[in-house]
Amino acid sequence: MEYLLELAVSPTAWIALLTLIVMEVVLGIDNLIFISILTNKLPAQFRTKARRIGIGMALILRLGLLGTIAYIVKLTAPVIEVFGQAFSWKDMILIAGGLFLVWKATTEIHHSMDPQEKESEDKGSRVSLGFAAAIGQILMLDLVFSIDSIITAVGMTEHLPIMVVAVIVAVAVMLLASEPLAKFINDNPTVVMLALGFLIMIGMTLIAEGFGAHVPKGYVYAAMTFSAVIEGLNMLARRARQKREAAQG
């Protein structure tokens, strides 16, 4: 109890907490985009439930991993070497997660561009993703992003209570933002393609990190922000053009 009181009155602890919350929220954006795109393929009545289960499991995974910090830190130790390149469990998990993201995003782009699928949608025979399959894929990516998130947290502070509070707050923000983000993505088809492009970039970044090539997160998020701003301008331009056409008609 005394330890917690010392943290509560420590300015350094509060600064570390706020910094870690921001970092956890930013790292959670990747996961949230994936969850939004995946759950939008479910029947409407299951989407909210799937998002809540997916994000809830992310919280359980992260808190569970925090309880095994000593083991998680060991995941960064090399376990095998291939052609002179050492790989840790963390590296292999990041590579597997990155490959899955690239595969999933590429598959979704192919489906979006496939004329035969569009025809089937027009006929009302769209095949929706199974609920269990969606939850399984969300949990797979939750694990990858959770390990990355926890290792980041361990690198920023040594105080477990600060990590726990930061993770809970970050996941709560994800839960609040999931519904509006999913609706926005669903209502704007061009944003779906942009988000899938983000997922490919994130997947490639995870693969690069797994092979030991550090990619500064700032570059990745700067590219995502720039692309999002351009898409926002395109959306405003389209709306303005539609208003002019409606006024002329």
Side-chain angles (χ1 to χ4, degrees):
M1 190 66 180
E2 185 179 346
Y3 169 63
L4 294 177
L5 290 175
E6 288 179 1
L7 286 179
V9 297
S10 170
T12 304
W14 281 100
I15 292 171
L17 175 61
L18 293 174
T19 304
L20 192 52
I21 287 174
V22 172
M23 287 295 296
E24 292 293 322
V25 170
V26 171
L27 289 173
I29 291 173
D30 310 343
N31 203 2
L32 195 54
I33 291 173
F34 178 79
I35 291 174
S36 298
I37 291 176
L38 198 61
T39 54
N40 279 344
K41 294 179 69 65
L42 290 168
Q45 66 269 29
F46 296 129
R47 293 174 187 173
T48 299
K49 181 180 179 181
R51 279 191 285 271
R52 288 175 180 172
I53 290 176
I55 294 172
M57 290 304 297
L59 175 60
I60 293 172
L61 273 174
R62 293 183 189 193
L63 292 179
L65 289 172
L66 279 173
T68 58
I69 283 180
Y71 176 73
I72 294 299
V73 171
K74 292 179 182 177
L75 290 178
T76 58
V79 291
I80 62 171
E81 185 173 318
V82 180
F83 298 117
Q85 174 71 47
F87 294 95
S88 65
W89 282 113
K90 178 197 172 187
D91 294 333
M92 289 185 282
I93 290 171
L94 289 180
I95 292 171
L99 288 172
F100 175 76
L101 263 186
V102 171
W103 168 78
K104 186 63 182 177
T106 303
T107 302
E108 293 298 325
I109 290 174
H110 172 73
H111 287 167
S112 298
M113 302 294 290
D114 189 355
Q116 292 183 351
E117 180 166 332
K118 289 182 180 179
E119 289 175 7
S120 65
E121 287 182 18
D122 292 340
K123 294 176 182 177
S125 58
R126 180 177 179 180
V127 178
S128 298
L129 182 69
F131 185 83
I135 295 299
Q137 291 181 33
I138 289 172
L139 289 180
M140 185 182 299
L141 262 295
D142 275 348
L143 177 63
V144 175
F145 288 126
S146 293
I147 288 176
D148 196 28
S149 169
I150 296 307
I151 290 176
T152 299
V154 171
M156 292 186 65
T157 181
E158 59 184 13
H159 303 295
L160 183 60
I162 291 178
M163 297 183 213
V164 171
V165 173
V167 166
I168 291 174
V169 172
V171 173
V173 171
M174 286 175 61
L175 189 59
L176 292 173
S178 63
E179 201 72 26
L181 178 62
K183 185 178 185 305
F184 179 75
I185 289 176
N186 190 55
D187 293 343
N188 297 273
T190 56
V191 174
V192 174
M193 195 63 68
L194 180 64
L196 290 171
F198 288 165
L199 291 181
I200 290 178
M201 180 169 62
I202 293 164
M204 294 302 297
T205 302
L206 291 177
I207 294 170
E209 293 275 359
F211 278 98
H214 177 64
V215 181
K217 290 290 193 297
Y219 294 162
V220 176
Y221 292 119
M224 291 172 65
T225 301
F226 178 76
S227 301
V229 169
I230 296 300
E231 178 59 25
L233 293 174
N234 284 331
M235 291 172 62
L236 291 174
R238 283 196 298 270
R239 289 178 183 175
R241 186 168 61 251
Q242 290 170 358
K243 287 182 179 179
R244 285 197 302 270
E245 291 174 353
Q248 292 173 359

